[in-house]
Amino acid sequence: MLIALDRPDDLERELREWIRADVSTGPWRQSLARLMAERGKLDEAIQLFEACEKDKLLTAADYQLLANWHLVSNRRAAYERSRIEAFKQ
């Protein structure tokens, strides 16, 4: 609903609250990472996705998205590693 109402600040606040309150935070962290990337906060988005990567929650599409974020952030080695992981998936 918050997406439809175009209220990204409220959405970010709610996602952060769900991450704190929920035992299984993977889906919320991924959603928050996508929101942060859309808002131009790529460093935070990358950190959230890399935390999900450690928990083995990323799909091939997620790795491709992470690779694109690394490319935009001028992190060539991380970009190549994410691309390889996308192909492995």
Side-chain angles (χ1 to χ4, degrees):
M1 183 63 132
L2 294 173
I3 293 171
L5 295 174
D6 193 28
R7 294 172 41 194
D9 294 330
D10 294 334
L11 178 59
E12 180 181 344
R13 186 188 72 246
E14 289 298 319
L15 285 171
R16 289 186 189 280
E17 179 60 35
W18 292 340
I19 289 169
R20 277 191 293 279
D22 196 350
V23 175
S24 173
T25 62
W28 306 129
R29 285 186 289 167
Q30 290 173 321
S31 296
L32 180 59
R34 287 182 176 91
L35 177 65
M36 292 294 94
E38 287 181 22
R39 299 185 82 192
K41 300 176 182 176
L42 284 180
D43 290 334
E44 186 174 356
I46 290 169
Q47 288 176 352
L48 287 162
F49 253 43
E50 287 176 345
C52 291
E53 179 181 24
K54 289 177 184 173
D55 295 337
K56 305 206 183 295
L57 299 173
L58 299 184
T59 65
D62 294 333
Y63 276 112
Q64 184 62 44
L65 184 58
L66 181 58
N68 290 338
W69 293 343
H70 284 303
L71 183 63
V72 170
S73 299
N74 199 26
R75 299 176 182 169
R76 184 68 178 183
Y79 163 76
E80 291 175 1
R81 184 183 54 78
S82 295
R83 292 276 299 173
I84 291 169
E85 289 300 322
F87 289 121
K88 285 182 182 178
Q89 292 291 321

